[in-house]
Structures are given as structure tokens and as C-alpha cells.
Amino acid sequence: MMVEELRVFVNERAVRVARGATVQDAVAALDGDLAALLASDAAYVTDGVGRPVDAGGPVGEGGGIFRVVVTARRGPPRLSKEALRRWPKAELHVHLDGCLRPETMLELARAQGVRLPADTPEGLTQALSVKGSRSLEEYLSKYEITLSVMQTAEALERIAYEFVRDVAAEHVRYVEVRYSPALHRPALTLTEAIEAPLAGIKRAEAETGTKVGLIICGIRTLPPAVSLELAQAAADYRSAGVVAFDLAGAERGHPAAEHRAAFAHAARHGLACTCHAGEGDGPDSIHEALHACGARRIGHGTRLGEDPALLTYVVEHRIPLEMCLSSNVHTRTVAALADHPFKRYLDQGVVVTLNTDGRLMDGISLTDEYYLAHAVLGLSRQDLARVVLASCESAFLPEYEKVALISRVQSELEAL
Ligand SMILES: [Zn+2]
């Protein structure tokens, strides 16, 4: 008779896996958090005598002895992912068109007659995964797929609503979500493309108690006149939930300064400005975002450390960086998670915040990013609490609302 289960030892503990299971499956059977580290290249597997083993390969017929070695970790992680899920959190950098529920995408596609690259939630998640991207440009191409089902007001309302429900479920108390209404034309007017997600946001805010700000993005590769038009539309909705203007899209070869009129318009009308910079290009791009465009925060800013004088400036002026760990690995902005400068910047006094960029595309939650910062980059409990509070302090909120957010989150952190 065939044996249906194989007995495997992972880190000296016995686990049973089904025939045909991979080494990764065996690790997951022992410890989901350890498997997550393995999946994000923060750990590797060896056999019983220390030879590296491919985690994607099958467990042999005779079972096996495996050891998971976690790299770049200072001391064992003391916080589990489940504990961090319960932490109150805030997020400042996430793209609405990168956060759809796969099931919703399939439903919308069926209703709208849109063809998607897969017809199951798993297949779609796989097709949209940006894990194997070679550059920021390739990463961005995945957004065309999600945008294909986001061309009606009903779809935008629903996607925004579900997004807020999803982040609220992992205890995110405040979130700023961004997208570009220009990418919903010609199906929708700019007005329709702004009012639809605002309606979804309001509905979810009322149900969850999570507060939401909407950020309108100009796109670097579109004409500056479009950015100006977007900044004007954003300013019109300033008292209706739009909190800021941003510039996104392929960074290298598309200078932010070309869009300075849009930033100036937003600032003149009381909107805050942020700008993607130092992700697909170097520190000069950050310099331009700050000094030519008046950005008050920087989206990513990963390559800031290449210019020590600019880093000092960013520290002295307390300019927050909206950092995204997994996304930077996926776009090849950093070679590996362990090389990410997040902890170094934190230690150097930069105001750093943790964000997902795109939950669906990057295959992560905000909790995952806090866990990676803890388990791979070595942030302590105190460091993580500092990051949560820095995220609240960097929110584009009126001062009195910011104070209320900080005191809510602070007392929730103390009660943990
Ligand atoms: Zn982004």
C-alpha cells in the first residue's frame, strides 16, 4: 500500500506532509511565519548535513531532515505575525489599483465582459504577482490588468469600499490611498472617477471607524498638462476627502520638475504634496521632488543614502519617507530584503514609515511588512511602535485630527 503521508523533520521537530509536498510546504506545516521568511528570501533551507536545499523542490519519498536558516536577523523574532496583526497601524502609501480582491476582479470582469489572464482567484493572484519583475517599469505594467476592470463608477466604489474593509480588518486605523483618475478616462470623467471611490470610502469609514484620505496621482509619463488638470480636480475635492497630490509612474527619464505647475497649483489650494522619488532613480530625483516640486513627504526615498548631504537635510527638516520593503525587492530597487536601508535610516534619525504599495500586486499585507521589519531587519518592539507613531504623525490630516489619531493609537499600543 502507498504511504499517503511523509514524515519530515524541520528544525528537529517532526511534521507530516502529503506525498508530493515541497520542502516549503513542510516548513509551513511547522511554522507559517518561518515559511513567510523563506518565501521572501530572508531564510534558506539546508539538509541534515548543512547543504543548501531548494525549498521549492519536493520532499523525497523517504521523508527528510531539514533545517531553516534565517539570515540577517538580530536575535530571534519575539513578535509573531498574529501579534502584529492586532497592533494599531497607519498606512500612507498604497495604490488603490494594486489592492483589488481577486474574487472581485473576476466578478467585475464577467459582468463587464473584460478578459483577464486567469479565471480563478489563485491563477489571477499568480498572474498579477510582481515577484519576478526585473524593473519598476515591468512592475507597473501589471497595473494595466487591474485597471481594465476599474472603468465604471460602480467598480471604483466597490473596490474602494472593499479596500478599506480589508485594511480595517488588520487594524489599520488610518490609511491614505492613492490612484490616478486620469487612468479611468475616457470611460469616466475626472469628476466621476473621484466621486466614485470617495463614496466607497465614506461607506466603509462609517462601518469600520478607520479614517481614510484620498491622494490623487499625476503620472510622470503623461503630459504635464494632465497633471495640472488632476491637481485642479484634486483641489476641488479638498474638503470632500482628497488630502494630497502625488506624482507616480516610471521615474527615470521623466523628471518631476516637468510637473511643477501641478504641484504649485495643489499647494496654492491648500493640498499637501508627496512624490514618488528615489525608487526608480537616484537621489537627484528626491532633491527635485523636494526643491522643485515642494513635496512634503517622499514616496519610497529608498536611494536617499547615496547622497549623505541630502540625507542630513531630510533628517533636519523631518521629511517623512513612505517606505515599502517588499515592493522595493520586487522592483529591484534593492537586491534583497536584508539589504534594505529602512533600519539604517531609522537609526540615523530619518522619519520612516512602513507601507505596502500594493497588497494584491506585492502579495502582502501591512502586517507582513511589520513582521519583515522585525524578523529580517531586526526592528525591536520599540522601533516598530516608533514607526507606527511616525506614520500617524506624518499623516496629511489637520492638526486636531492628527492629535486625536495619535492619542487613539498610542493608548491602543499601551494596552497591548
Ligand atoms: Zn507607489
Side-chain angles (χ1 to χ4, degrees), residues 64-79:
I65 297 173
F66 302 106
R67 177 163 292 285
V68 183
V69 184
V70 176
T71 48
R73 184 161 91 187
R74 296 162 212 177
R78 277 177 297 179
L79 287 162

Side-chain angles (χ1 to χ4, degrees), residues 93-95 136 139-140 143 178 217 246-249 276 279 299-300 322 324 327 356-358:
H93 189 123
V94 54
H95 295 261
L136 175 60
Y139 175 100
L140 292 172
Y143 282 82
R178 62 186 75 194
C217 303
D246 169 45
L247 188 64
H276 280 73
E279 177 196 22
H300 297 280
E322 307 157 356
C324 310
S327 165
T356 58
D357 218 9

